[in-house]
Amino acid sequence: MNILVTGGLGYIGSHTCVELLEHGYNVIVIDNLSNSKIEVKDYIKTITGKDINFVEGDVCNKQTVEHVFATYPVDAVIHFAAYKAVGESVHKPIAYYQNNLMSTLTLCEVMSKHNCKKFVFSSSATVYGDPKQVPIDETCEVGATTNPYGTSKVMNEQILQDVYISDPTWDVVLLRYFNPIGAHHSGLIGESPVGIPNNIMPYIAMVANKELPELHVFGNDYDTPDGTGVRDYIHVVDLAKGHVKALDYMTRQKVGVDAINLGTGNGYSVLELVQAFEKDNHIAVPYVIDPRREGDIAVCYAATDKAKDVLNWVAKKDIHDMVKDSWKFKMGLQGVVHEEN
Ligand code: WQD
């Protein structure tokens, strides 16, 4: 099967390309390199021994997407390409809605024309907003989002639902990620955002590497055991494997539209994450307590029953794998080669 992966050189996209290639899929990637690096293509080859078919371009550009479908016989699409910084989205709503919505609309239009109607969408736990209950299951209300990033994910889910209603020969899986962190054990691919990271894990790695003076912990007055925010961190390789399972699901049966959480079901506070990083990597992460960050919620972690029942998928890596692999990737970026432990 030929899978088109949009944003396939990005953090989650590249790890998913590795898993797809290792499971025998042919992979086509379209990526405009706005938040990824072309050398990731070579790292994917080093890890898997296989090439991807790469097209540099913007998924919002209809001619580019037409070119991809005219060149390759695409059987299914996994759509990662999107802007994804919560804080940034509050200041740049037009750019976020334009990019995150037009990309999906352009894909659906061209896919329909080429009779390609299997769509895996990179959604997010942010669609749940501030949950009324935890763990969060897929029947929980969506839509009460607190930022344009999360709202664009809700809108995309609605677009795909309406596309299915208009043509029930479509199959759509909405994968709602909790907090992806970590990196491939090779240390070759991982999360390396441009500039100062918005997300906590790359920020911690930069502090540990003395590129930044200290971590700013956004609030310690939440109703949690140590007062800091609790999240369901999931290893990016487990997340990538969930996408292969979603394709298997769509291949073996009629799906319609199905939303599935990808999380571990375990919540860790900011300070617990910091302590795990320090202990497992034998390195200090100095921090200061700051006021809460606008738009943050206190607690968010997944109910994982549906992913197990429907996809036969369970996250296997724990917080220790996540913090060790994150640091190994960071050291790899510094040219420090690690012996396999
Ligand atoms: C995690 C915790 C912060 C930074 C968002 C998106 C989600 C996904 C991941 C893309 C919170 C605290 C953070 C810092 C801190 N996006 N924190 N200091 O906001 O849970 O989720 O990013 O894939 O869809 O919603 O992730 O890593 O920003 O924050 O104290 O410098 O760390 O308050 O409790 P978040 P995050």
Side-chain angles (χ1 to χ4, degrees):
M1 273 182 84
N2 305 307
I3 312 299
L4 172 61
V5 181
T6 74
L9 296 190
Y11 174 43
I12 302 170
S14 56
H15 286 83
T16 302
C17 286
V18 165
E19 295 302 323
L20 288 170
L21 290 169
E22 290 185 340
H23 283 77
Y25 289 97
N26 298 317
V27 173
I28 305 109
V29 166
I30 179 170
D31 198 310
N32 65 3
L33 303 177
S34 64
N35 194 24
S36 55
K37 300 180 179 77
I38 189 67
E39 54 264 32
V40 170
K41 193 159 72 74
D42 302 328
Y43 298 149
I44 292 170
K45 172 76 180 274
T46 303
I47 292 166
T48 64
K50 297 180 180 176
D51 283 308
I52 61 170
N53 301 284
F54 178 66
V55 175
E56 181 175 350
D58 189 333
V59 190
C60 296
N61 182 311
K62 193 173 161 188
Q63 286 67 35
T64 305
V65 180
E66 275 287 5
H67 164 71
V68 171
F69 278 81
T71 310
Y72 302 100
V74 178
D75 298 304
V77 173
I78 304 180
H79 181 30
F80 291 108
Y83 297 151
K84 63 158 198 168
V86 169
E88 183 185 57
S89 75
V90 174
H91 306 292
K92 297 181 178 176
I94 297 169
Y96 267 70
Y97 288 126
Q98 210 149 39
N99 185 60
N100 292 6
L101 301 182
M102 273 316 293
S103 56
T104 305
L105 290 166
T106 305
L107 273 171
C108 288
E109 185 182 358
V110 177
M111 285 173 71
S112 187
K113 188 178 157 197
H114 290 265
N115 198 33
C116 171
K117 297 178 181 177
K118 291 187 184 306
F119 197 113
V120 177
F121 178 62
S122 167
S123 192
S124 165
T126 38
V127 301
Y128 296 113
D130 193 352
K132 294 186 176 58
Q133 68 183 57
V134 281
I136 304 170
D137 69 43
E138 291 84 350
T139 64
C140 288
E141 186 189 336
V142 303
T145 45
T146 60
N147 55 78
Y149 162 78
T151 307
S152 77
K153 291 297 185 184
V154 172
M155 290 175 168
N156 269 301
E157 291 195 3
Q158 188 59 61
I159 288 168
L160 291 164
Q161 181 76 39
D162 290 341
V163 166
Y164 169 74
I165 291 166
S166 75
D167 175 358
T169 63
W170 281 76
D171 281 316
V172 177
V173 175
L174 309 169
L175 294 178
R176 293 171 178 168
Y177 312 157
F178 282 68
N179 285 64
I181 63 171
H184 189 265
H185 65 80
S186 65
L188 290 172
I189 54 177
E191 187 175 15
S192 58
V194 175
I196 303 294
N198 292 291
N199 286 0
I200 190 159
M201 195 71 253
Y203 200 105
I204 286 176
M206 288 183 77
V207 171
N209 199 39
K210 301 192 181 350
E211 295 170 71
L212 292 168
E214 72 257 320
L215 170 69
H216 295 262
V217 176
F218 298 144
N220 67 347
D221 57 350
Y222 287 104
D223 182 15
T224 63
D226 63 19
T228 64
V230 170
R231 295 292 185 274
D232 184 333
Y233 297 101
I234 174 172
H235 197 291
V236 65
V237 171
D238 276 329
L239 191 71
K241 290 179 187 297
H243 290 74
V244 178
K245 290 286 190 180
L247 286 175
D248 295 346
Y249 174 40
M250 300 170 101
T251 310
R252 71 170 178 271
Q253 67 185 77
K254 179 68 191 157
V255 169
V257 180
D258 212 356
I260 303 174
N261 289 341
L262 292 187
T264 66
N266 303 312
Y268 282 90
S269 75
V270 173
L271 294 184
E272 286 172 329
L273 183 68
V274 170
Q275 282 143 23
F277 190 96
E278 290 184 317
K279 183 168 176 290
D280 291 335
N281 294 312
H282 315 293
I283 196 155
V285 179
Y287 66 85
V288 293
I289 303 292
D290 274 17
R292 294 182 179 188
R293 178 173 65 179
E294 194 66 35
D296 271 355
I297 59 176
V299 181
C300 176
Y301 58 89
T304 58
D305 303 331
K306 185 172 181 182
K308 176 151 181 36
D309 297 344
V310 170
L311 300 182
N312 185 28
W313 172 92
V314 177
K316 292 195 166 40
K317 291 175 180 290
D318 64 19
I319 199 76
H320 306 290
D321 299 314
M322 296 178 215
V323 296
K324 283 189 279 192
D325 289 339
S326 295
W327 183 236
K328 181 175 179 181
F329 172 67
K330 185 67 183 174
M331 286 299 92
L333 287 178
Q334 314 305 312
V336 173
V337 179
H338 273 250
E339 292 309 313
E340 276 298 323
N341 46 18

